[in-house]
Amino acid sequence: EIYTLSLHDALPIYQANEDERALIAALDRLPEEEANLLRQKYLEGWSFEELAKPLGKTAGALRIQAMRSLKRLQTLLKYPF
């Protein structure tokens, strides 16, 4: 069976792909340590407590680092160039 998508149905998929590409591009512009922390926390689902020991930091320090990194990421998404 062949499925076809109308433009109306395809638009949300296209937008999601655009958003994903923008997020990946912005993450790539962050310092590697910050990008890795955000990926592990928010894309892979690790807790700050789980990340603390292997990264050699406290969970509290990682929370602060993540908050600052998210602010930088937000700026990069708002002003991509």
Side-chain angles (χ1 to χ4, degrees):
E1 186 172 334
I2 298 175
Y3 295 96
T4 59
L5 286 176
S6 70
L7 181 58
H8 176 74
D9 292 334
L11 220 51
I13 295 168
Y14 177 79
Q15 185 61 46
N17 288 338
E18 285 295 309
D19 291 346
E20 186 176 311
R21 282 192 285 271
L23 177 60
I24 291 168
L27 280 170
D28 287 345
R29 292 177 59 202
L30 287 175
E32 185 176 358
E33 182 179 341
E34 291 181 27
N36 286 340
L37 174 60
L38 294 181
R39 283 185 188 102
Q40 290 171 326
K41 172 63 181 152
Y42 298 106
L43 299 178
E44 297 175 16
W46 292 69
S47 70
F48 289 119
E49 290 73 19
E50 291 170 320
L51 291 168
K53 188 172 182 178
L55 295 178
K57 297 184 179 186
T58 65
L62 291 176
R63 281 186 186 88
I64 292 168
Q65 183 180 352
M67 180 185 67
R68 291 176 180 158
S69 298
L70 285 170
K71 285 183 181 181
R72 277 192 274 283
L73 183 65
Q74 182 180 27
T75 300
L76 290 171
L77 288 167
K78 189 173 182 179
Y79 305 104
F81 300 103

